[in-house]
Structure formats: C-alpha cells, structure tokens
Amino acid sequence: MENQQEGPVRQESSSKRCGRARPVLIASVAGCAVLGGVLVLLPRERPAEPPPPSPGALAMAAVGSGVPAALPGLAELIDEREKAVRTRPGDATSWAVLGAAYVEQGRRLADPAYYPRAERALRTSLKARPQRNTRALSGLAALSNARRDFPAARRWGEAALKLEPRRWTTYPLLIDAYTGLGEHKAAKRTLDRLTELRSGPAVLARAAAVYRDRGWREDAAAALADAAAGARAPAERAAYLERAGQLAWERGDFDDALRHFREAVRLDPDQRAAQAGQGRALASLGRTTEALNAYRVALARQPCPQYALELGELYESLGMPEAARVQYDLLRERVRGAVAGGADEDVVLGRFEADHGDPKAAVRRLRAEFERQPGTEVADALGWALYRAGEPGEALRFALAATDPERGGGVRDALYMYHRGMIERKLERYGAARRHLAEALRINPHFSPLHARAARAAVEALGEPPDEGVPEMDDGAG
C-alpha cells in the first residue's frame, strides 16, 4: 500500500518539475536565437588585406614584362639584386634581372654608364646558366636596342625566340630591332604573332609604334589611348601618354600634345621625355619662355643629346647663339659618354653636324651607319647630310627611301618631307618640291623652330604652280 501511494506522489512531483522546466528551456532557446541574431548582425572580422607591393616588386614585374618602370622602384630592385648576387654569385636569374634593371635605369636616365654594368650582369647570367637562359638572352636584346645596336638586338632576340617561341616579351624586342634595321615587313609579321599570343596595354603600345611607322596615325593614336587607359602602374601609363603626346605633336595638334605631356609628368615626375615634349609643344605654340624652362628641367635630370639639339636650335631661332652653343657642347659631351657606354648616337650627331658643323663629316658617319643598319631614320639623316654637303643627286635616293611608302618610308614625318622638298628644289624639280614642302607644313607647321621657317620661305619663293598647260620640271613622284 505504501508503494501504491508513493507512485502518484512521485508522478505529481515529476510533472511539476517538468512544468517548471519548460519555460526555462523555451527561454534558453529564445536566448540562443537572439544571441545568434546578434552575432549575425555583428560585423565579421575580415582577414587582413595583404600589404601593397613594394616599389621594388612593382619594378620587378615591370622589368619582367618589358614595360616602363618607375625610377624609385628600379633603384630598390637594383639594390636588392646586387645584394642577392653577392650572396649567391651563381644565381643566374638574379644576374639576369639585375642586368635588365640596369638597362631600364640607363634608358630612363639617358645614362649610358649603366650599359656596361648591364652587359656584365647579363653575360654572368649566361655563364652561370649557358643553356636555355631565355631571360639573359632577352636582356641582351633589350640592351642592344637601348644602345641602338639593332643587328645585335636581332641576333639576341631571335636566339631567345628560338628557345621559347611562346614567350611574348621577346616579340617587342624583335619589333624594335627590325624597325631599326628598316625591315618593316618583318616588324609587322612579328607584331601579328605577338597579338596572337597576348593582348593588353604593352602590346597595344607596341602596335601603335608599328602603325605610326606605316603612316596609320589614327590607328596608332587609338591604340595608345587604349594602352594608357588599361595601364595599372603610373609609370607605365605615363610612358604611353608621352608617346601619345609625341604622336599628337607630330600631326600638329599642339594643345592635345601638351595635355598628354603634362598628364604624363603629373603621373610620373621622372618622365623626362614628357618634360622635353612639353618644351616642344610650348615652342610650337609660341610660348617660348615656358618652352625654354621645360627643356632645362628635362635636361637637368636626363641630359639626352636629342633634347640638347632641340633646345640649341630653339635658342638659335631666338637669336641667342651663345646659349645655343652651350647646348651643342653638351650634345657633343653626351655623345662621347654614349660611345664610352657602348651606345650609338651617330644619327643625332650626324644631324647636328649636317646643320651646325661639318656636313662632310656627317656624311661619312651616317654612310657607315646606313651600311650597318639601314633604317628609315638613318636614310633621312644621310640624305640631308649629302644635300648639305653639296651632293643633292645622291641625297634624293635616300630621301625617297625615307618618305616613299613603296620603299619602306611610310611614316608621315614633317621633317622628312621638308628634307625631300629642299633636295628636289635644289635639283630644280619644282613641282615635287612645292608639293613636299607644302606637305611638311600641313603635317606640322611648327616641326622645327629653324627648318619650319625655312620651309615657309622656300614655298613662298617657289610661288604658285604654273598655269595649266605650262610645263614644269618635276620627277613625277610624290
């Protein structure tokens, strides 16, 4: 009996306990739900973002893909790789990277003293890894292009391409080499292969150079605009804007050129080619004081012989011969430095001698240059030197090579057209002379502070074409 009474009591007691437990359990579940909701609403802790790449890492990526690199990054990369090769003298990759960085540093600073260092580093890389060292071979091709030794650039570039035909960064080096040698069809074929392998800003910029040399200025401008828009690094974008500015200046659009040059300098204050470009554009706009200042700034950091020639001629056009002579002396000094670094500045020196020095010496220098690498630029310079030396008959052959699309001279360059027109005038081929001198002024009415003035005077002296039916001596070309 006791057990029978005890059962209901225990059951009742158990029921009461369960009754009391249910609210506690519900409250606990509800609390968990609320807490879960709060946790969901709280911002999750994000993983730490990786730090931005160092200037040296950016320069490493640029040098490896053949695009312009910023000077601070190059300095960091060079320091890093110099330490690496001291620690590991058999590291072929570090030697090759160091050599390529020296090439880019020398090019950016217009300082040929970097080129012997580059050659030692690249040859050390080849010695450490004689077989399948594409990086070192490509570096030697880039070095040869920087030195304007286009036969060597072609040789090294083709050797690199044979090892790795799908390595796209070799193709731009070969395009530069073929262009310097006047092998325009080979340059176009190489560009076609490059565009099959790769796209992007660097390829567009290289395509623009080929288009410009073939006279396709609108295509070149469009490609450069796309390249600048797609470039990520400021130094790379600034380099493409500088090229776009030069293209705009060549076609006589001086305001557009100035806009591009200024934006390039804003993005990369070390973009001295754009600084000199500002001087060129400002001089064409008649803003000579600003132009002189721009040239001086460019030359202070990048004493390029071409800039010295341009500034000297600007001074000369302003009736300041002493100031011009200072720049011409600087030009000679920089050419001597280039020779010491294994670089070739015969074209700019030949142009200078033809107009301001010894034309016969210019002919000897440029004739040897043309035999070695018969590019369009050399053909034009040699033709003009021959004209200035009193040999207009032979000069015309080279002027035609520089300006006739059928002979490879497809680029629409006002200076080249002026040279051809003046040679034709001397040969009494007045119809052709009138056409080509007028064409020079149509392309760019301020292509040179000295020669544009001479072109206008020559056109005026030639007068209007004769009436229909009156014969005029002409060569039938043009």
Side-chain angles (χ1 to χ4, degrees):
M1 294 292 295
E2 290 176 2
N3 290 342
Q4 290 177 355
Q5 290 175 352
E6 190 178 8
V9 172
R10 288 179 180 172
Q11 186 175 3
E12 182 183 0
S13 175
S14 176
S15 298
K16 289 179 180 178
R17 284 197 302 272
C18 287
R20 287 194 300 269
R22 278 194 196 98
V24 173
L25 179 61
I26 292 169
S28 298
V29 171
C32 288
V34 171
L35 179 60
V38 171
L39 291 174
V40 169
L41 292 173
L42 286 174
R44 294 182 180 179
E45 185 178 344
R46 296 180 179 178
E49 293 185 4
S54 68
L58 290 173
M60 173 70 181
V63 166
S65 55
V67 302
L71 284 176
L74 280 170
E76 185 177 302
L77 176 62
I78 287 170
D79 182 63
E80 172 198 311
R81 292 296 159 155
E82 285 177 340
K83 291 175 181 175
V85 296
R86 281 197 295 269
T87 306
R88 302 183 302 278
D91 185 348
T93 299
S94 285
W95 279 114
V97 171
L98 178 60
Y102 281 145
V103 172
E104 178 69 357
Q105 187 86 322
R107 188 190 66 79
R108 288 293 312 267
L109 294 172
D111 186 354
Y114 280 94
Y115 296 155
R117 300 184 217 174
E119 184 170 2
R120 284 193 295 270
L122 292 164
R123 290 190 180 277
T124 303
S125 177
L126 274 180
K127 185 177 179 182
R129 188 188 300 153
Q131 304 298 322
R132 303 198 64 80
N133 193 342
T134 312
R135 192 188 288 267
L137 293 173
S138 296
L140 286 164
L143 172 62
S144 299
N145 277 329
R147 284 172 156 172
R148 293 183 54 83
D149 184 354
F150 300 118
R154 177 178 59 186
R155 186 172 65 251
W156 291 116
E158 288 177 349
L161 193 65
K162 187 176 180 181
L163 285 179
E164 293 188 60
R166 297 190 63 81
R167 186 185 177 95
W168 74 270
T169 51
T170 305
Y171 288 85
L173 301 172
L174 278 171
I175 290 169
D176 285 351
Y178 292 141
T179 300
L181 292 167
E183 298 175 7
H184 300 290
K185 291 181 180 178
K188 181 61 170 62
R189 285 196 305 270
T190 307
L191 174 64
D192 292 341
R193 180 60 177 147
L194 171 61
T195 55
E196 290 172 4
L197 290 172
R198 184 82 175 188
S199 61
V203 175
L204 286 166
R206 192 61 56 189
V210 175
Y211 297 157
R212 179 256 180 200
D213 291 339
R214 294 175 74 89
W216 305 345
R217 293 191 305 188
E218 291 76 12
D219 293 320
L224 280 172
D226 290 342
R232 294 183 179 179
E236 183 185 3
R237 184 160 186 259
Y240 301 153
L241 287 169
E242 185 276 326
R243 295 178 203 174
Q246 178 62 17
L247 194 65
W249 181 82
E250 287 176 358
R251 67 174 182 263
D253 192 344
F254 308 127
D255 288 313
D256 190 45
L258 185 59
R259 179 175 60 82
H260 280 99
F261 290 138
R262 282 181 166 166
E263 177 63 9
V265 173
R266 186 191 70 79
L267 286 168
D268 180 6
D270 294 314
Q271 179 47 259
R272 299 302 167 182
Q275 191 78 51
Q278 286 187 49
R280 205 173 299 125
L282 289 163
S284 299
L285 290 166
R287 296 158 62 177
T288 52
T289 301
E290 294 173 82
L292 293 171
N293 288 334
Y295 271 122
R296 291 186 195 112
V297 170
L299 278 162
R301 294 291 299 275
Q302 192 185 50
C304 176
Q306 179 63 34
Y307 306 162
L309 178 59
E310 291 178 23
L311 179 54
E313 291 188 339
L314 180 56
Y315 278 129
E316 197 168 330
S317 73
L318 297 171
M320 303 170 68
E322 291 299 323
R325 195 170 297 114
V326 170
Q327 298 306 316
Y328 297 154
D329 289 343
L330 173 63
L331 182 152
R332 292 190 184 94
E333 179 188 335
R334 296 306 298 175
V335 168
R336 286 193 293 270
V339 171
D344 178 355
E345 292 287 357
D346 279 345
V347 173
V348 68
L349 184 58
R351 288 195 188 283
F352 165 73
E353 291 289 356
D355 282 324
H356 309 285
D358 183 349
K360 291 187 182 298
V363 168
R364 290 192 296 272
R365 182 179 299 278
L366 291 166
R367 200 186 292 280
E369 182 79 354
F370 188 81
E371 289 175 2
R372 195 169 70 89
Q373 40 193 29
T376 303
E377 185 181 21
V378 185
D380 170 73
L382 176 55
W384 185 245
L386 284 162
Y387 163 78
R388 297 282 294 174
E391 302 178 53
E394 188 182 3
L396 183 60
R397 178 166 66 91
F398 294 100
L400 290 172
T403 56
D404 187 348
E406 296 300 320
R407 309 186 192 199
V411 61
R412 294 193 67 209
D413 188 288
L415 183 65
Y416 295 2
M417 283 294 177
Y418 162 73
H419 288 164
R420 178 174 172 175
M422 294 297 282
I423 293 167
E424 289 165 333
R425 180 175 178 239
K426 187 71 173 178
L427 294 169
E428 299 182 354
R429 301 185 179 195
Y430 298 127
R434 185 182 292 107
R435 284 198 305 277
H436 294 123
L437 289 168
E439 177 67 8
L441 294 170
R442 268 196 304 273
I443 293 170
N444 183 342
H446 299 286
F447 63 89
S448 161
L450 290 178
H451 295 306
R453 184 184 301 167
R456 286 189 287 272
V459 168
E460 186 176 342
L462 285 167
E464 294 298 321
D467 294 335
E468 197 172 326
V470 178
E472 178 176 27
M473 295 188 71
D474 202 342
D475 64 349

